[in-house]
Amino acid sequence: MEQNKKHPLVHRPSAEIATRGRRTSRVMATVTRDILARAQALSAARFPIGEYLLREQDYRQILDWADHLSMEPEAVIQHLARSRKILSA
């Protein structure tokens, strides 16, 4: 077994876009991962209820509350929008 070979403790996937040079590859890989992560988050599906567009988790939560309260999802959203509390210090 070769002892000079480096074996990372944490496997990091290759960033093929960022393999130009040794100095810049780490920075480019970081930038590339960040951009791809942000693009994926922005492209996440949105679900409409009334005038609101919700992420999937929020949409499912509203539907669950509506089901348990025997209300329409729009009514749950309207109630939540009206019931904001202002916290005083």
Side-chain angles (χ1 to χ4, degrees), residues 49 54 58-67 73 76-77 80:
I49 293 182
L54 306 169
D58 298 326
Y59 176 75
R60 290 182 185 272
Q61 183 65 60
I62 296 296
L63 292 182
D64 189 40
W65 286 339
D67 183 49
V76 173
I77 289 277
L80 290 170

Side-chain angles (χ1 to χ4, degrees), residues 24-49:
T24 59
S25 65
R26 182 196 231 171
V27 173
M28 291 294 289
T30 302
V31 170
T32 302
R33 277 194 303 271
D34 185 47
I35 289 171
L36 292 175
R38 289 173 190 256
Q40 184 180 10
L42 289 174
S43 67
R46 306 286 180 180
F47 298 88
I49 293 182

Side-chain angles (χ1 to χ4, degrees), residues 10 13 23-24 29 38 43 51 53 55 63 66 77 80 82 87:
V10 178
R23 288 186 197 173
T24 59
R38 289 173 190 256
S43 67
E51 62 186 59
L53 284 176
R55 293 176 299 160
L63 292 182
I77 289 277
L80 290 170
R82 285 191 312 262
L87 301 176

Side-chain angles (χ1 to χ4, degrees), residues 64-75:
D64 189 40
W65 286 339
D67 183 49
H68 286 290
L69 296 169
S70 300
M71 296 172 67
E72 291 295 318
E74 293 83 5

